[in-house]
Amino acid sequence: MLKTTLLVSIVLVNVCSTLGTQRTVYRAGDELVEITRTKVTNPYSPLYSYYAYSSAPQYGNDRSDVVYYTYPNEVTTTQNAVNRRVLSGEPSQAQGCGRNPCGVGAMCQETTGGRPVCSCPAGYSGNPLTHCRRSECLDHTECRGDQACQSGNCVNPCSGVCGVNANCDVRNHVPVCSCPRNMAGDPFVNCRLRDPEEQCRPSPCGSNTKCEVINSVPTCSCLPGYIGSPLSGCRHECESDAECGAQEFCSQFKCTNACSQCGKGATCARVTNHRSVCECPKGYIGSPYTECRAECYGDRDCPAGRPACIYGVCKNPCDGSCGVNADCNLRGLTPVCSCPRDMTGDPFVSCRPFTKEDLCIPNPCGTNAVCTPGYDRTNRERPVCTCPPGYTGNALSNCVRGECQSDSECSDHRACINYQCVDPCRGQCGTGAQCQAKRHLAVCTCPAGTDGDALVSCRATKSYPVARYH
């Protein structure tokens, strides 16, 4: 802090003709003060001397009667002319402030007991017993905008006001402390580098929330298990089952699917009054509210009556494998289904007693052949196989459709015989007869010179001589 001295310059120093007299003019602000100092040796006591001071008339206060005594030990006291007269043996009745005990520009006030008290007037400073000088300022308005009036001097008000690392700006004579950018803290105590998380301390969020700084912005969110507005406050999702849906229950203040109450491997059959009804799957054993486990994990875990482990359950492979009335026998763990000897049918569907129609089911005959129940030579029931009309072949192996069904399907000179278009003359006429096929029929005639039945035999005609009668 700069200290401004009220007395800014010595204008003139003049030593008078009288030995020991010194006159000095001081500039105090806009005023000039002239002080005359004269050293006087006390004739009554050579052990000390004194100085007589008088002020210039322009100062407005003639104090030529004030003297300052300087003792050999360099201690100076003040007296006035009355005191000098007392020291010189002159009688004086002046007391208190009447003795003018104060310094230049000082004020004197008497206490209740008449004791004088010296003080500098407002706007002045210094030793009131020697000299009061006008201060540099009386209030802030007499200083520049970046200064303040303190103890009569215009000084920088920021000195020692702000904390460590803080900035200080003087605004209208008043120091304003602030932390620099990217720093935080109390500018009157200490500024430190800003911690981004400080934006969440204290948290601007409501109760039961979490504050996070995201992209330099404090962001509020509800804690897990809480719902609501994170700015005003979050609450538990539920306090009782009644606050949850029909298929939910309140678990740890959160609405949870009621079926989650079922144990491992169990199934949730239904939910009643926010509580699940759990069941172990068929073939599983255990508690449906803790754990359901398989009856077996391999065939070795199963008893003899149910030797196969099927999907975690011990079963007899024959159960449900064969049809009604069918027999089931295991070959290893494979079920083999068959109908009893006196029954027939599909052993995987149903077995029933035999009937005559069963002789032809399934059809034992050849392709395209027809099976009809019949009897063998021993009169036992047997299937009889025949080719259907229009078919030819071996009914036990294969029946083939014929070339024709009627003569109309053959040419004019052929006839449909045994479902084949053949020459109708074949084997139709007698011995020696001639055959000509016409309109699918064989026409038999005896050749010329023969006669007889063309369907049986034709023989040469016998001629007998004819008697001529004249």
Side-chain angles (χ1 to χ4, degrees), residues 344-364:
T344 187
D346 185 349
F348 295 99
V349 179
S350 177
C351 293
R352 57 180 175 77
F354 275 109
T355 63
K356 289 193 302 181
E357 287 74 15
D358 292 329
L359 294 173
C360 292
I361 300 174
N363 190 348

Side-chain angles (χ1 to χ4, degrees), residues 179-233:
C179 287
R181 190 175 183 180
N182 298 327
M183 298 189 78
D186 185 348
F188 295 98
V189 180
N190 182 28
C191 292
R192 63 187 182 282
L193 290 176
R194 184 183 298 276
D195 181 2
E197 296 300 327
E198 284 187 348
Q199 299 183 70
C200 286
R201 295 193 297 265
S203 175
C205 309
S207 59
N208 301 317
T209 59
K210 177 177 64 175
C211 179
E212 296 179 292
V213 178
I214 301 176
N215 295 329
S216 301
V217 177
T219 304
C220 302
S221 60
C222 290
L223 292 175
Y226 289 81
I227 60 174
S229 171
L231 295 179
S232 59

Side-chain angles (χ1 to χ4, degrees), residues 71 73 165 189 241 311 325 403:
Y71 291 84
N73 58 2
N165 298 324
V189 180
D241 293 339
Y311 299 112
N325 298 323
E403 184 180 1

Side-chain angles (χ1 to χ4, degrees), residues 223-458:
L223 292 175
Y226 289 81
I227 60 174
S229 171
L231 295 179
S232 59
C234 299
R235 59 177 179 81
H236 286 129
E237 184 177 354
C238 64
E239 298 287 345
S240 64
D241 293 339
E243 300 179 54
C244 300
Q247 302 296 316
E248 298 176 320
F249 76 108
C250 188
S251 175
Q252 296 181 350
F253 307 107
K254 186 175 182 180
C255 289
T256 307
N257 188 341
C259 286
S260 63
Q261 297 170 322
C262 296
K264 182 179 179 181
T267 58
C268 184
R270 61 187 179 277
V271 177
T272 304
N273 295 328
H274 305 282
R275 290 294 180 268
S276 62
V277 178
C278 306
E279 298 175 350
C280 283
K282 185 177 180 180
Y284 278 62
I285 59 177
S287 171
Y289 295 96
T290 54
E291 181 181 7
C292 295
R293 59 182 178 82
E295 182 182 4
C296 61
Y297 296 95
D299 296 337
R300 63 180 180 275
D301 299 330
C302 297
R306 296 178 294 143
C309 183
I310 301 175
Y311 299 112
V313 180
C314 290
K315 290 184 177 181
N316 186 335
C318 281
D319 293 343
S321 298
C322 300
V324 179
N325 298 323
D327 293 334
C328 181
N329 297 289
L330 291 178
R331 292 181 182 175
L333 294 177
T334 303
V336 177
C337 301
S338 62
C339 287
R341 294 179 61 85
D342 59 344
M343 303 185 78
T344 187
D346 185 349
F348 295 99
V349 179
S350 177
C351 293
R352 57 180 175 77
F354 275 109
T355 63
K356 289 193 302 181
E357 287 74 15
D358 292 329
L359 294 173
C360 292
I361 300 174
N363 190 348
C365 303
T367 305
N368 298 323
V370 177
C371 178
T372 55
Y375 298 90
D376 61 8
R377 293 178 181 179
T378 61
N379 204 30
R380 295 183 63 182
E381 293 180 341
R382 289 285 186 269
V384 178
C385 299
T386 57
C387 286
Y391 285 76
T392 61
N394 186 349
L396 296 178
S397 59
N398 187 22
C399 292
V400 180
R401 188 179 186 281
E403 184 180 1
C404 59
Q405 297 288 327
S406 63
D407 291 338
S408 61
E409 298 180 31
C410 299
S411 59
D412 184 68
H413 63 283
R414 287 180 175 275
C416 184
I417 300 174
N418 293 328
Y419 309 109
Q420 300 292 326
C421 290
V422 298
D423 184 1
C425 290
R426 185 179 301 172
Q428 296 297 317
C429 297
T431 304
Q434 294 179 339
C435 183
Q436 185 177 6
K438 291 182 179 180
R439 296 182 181 179
H440 314 291
L441 297 175
V443 179
C444 299
T445 59
C446 287
T450 62
D451 58 8
D453 186 352
L455 297 178
V456 179
S457 175
C458 290

